[in-house]
Amino acid sequence: MFLQELEQWSPNLRRYARALTRNAEQADDLVQDCLERALSRRHLWKEDGNTRAWLFTIMHNIHANDTRRRGSRPAPVPIDDQDGHYSRPASQQSRIVGLELTAALEELPAEQRQVILLVALEGMSYGQVAETVGIAQGTVMSRLSRGRERLRRLMEEGAPSLRVVK
């Protein structure tokens, strides 16, 4: 039963991890760390409990700890595809809108982005998000409202990192 629950929620964990990290390799590592921690703490799992919330809470805590740890290290410098010399921008409208949305999400404070992703991407209820992140449900609603409004404004203006300077 426990392993089936882990398998059932793995795609959701992976999707949320990719949205959080914006990097496929880091997302896979985050999911692996989350599942590893869940397996090692299986004795804490309640069979009648909310496995989804439990797993997302584990992932949230791992990501928060990693983010804090990374803040004290120098930023990595990519060595390939410098300045985009080897890539070509997509011409499809949906791809452009996706890039604009991603850039606009980047502009949001981490707390607002996290709540928006859990509600919009994962379809969690406000109560589930509150339980996962460890905040009050009213705080979830407030962050979501402010985040949606700021995201709406950014999309109307065009995300700063994608604006064309004339």
Side-chain angles (χ1 to χ4, degrees), residues 14-34:
R14 182 164 281 111
R15 184 173 52 231
Y16 181 54
R18 290 204 61 174
L20 275 177
T21 63
R22 294 165 299 283
N23 178 297
E25 282 184 27
Q26 288 179 359
D28 288 342
D29 290 345
L30 182 58
V31 171
Q32 183 177 349
D33 290 345
C34 176

Side-chain angles (χ1 to χ4, degrees), residues 87-120:
S87 64
R88 188 172 17 168
S91 60
Q92 299 87 354
Q93 182 66 26
S94 61
R95 175 84 171 138
I96 293 170
V97 171
L99 289 171
E100 288 174 347
L101 178 59
T102 301
L105 279 167
E106 288 289 323
E107 296 291 317
L108 295 177
E111 297 82 16
Q112 291 175 4
R113 180 175 53 246
Q114 182 179 49
V115 170
I116 286 175
L117 291 173
L118 287 172
V119 170

Side-chain angles (χ1 to χ4, degrees), residues 154-166:
L154 288 168
M155 290 299 291
E156 287 171 359
E157 298 169 359
S161 61
L162 292 176
R163 289 187 195 136
V164 177
V165 179
K166 295 182 182 180

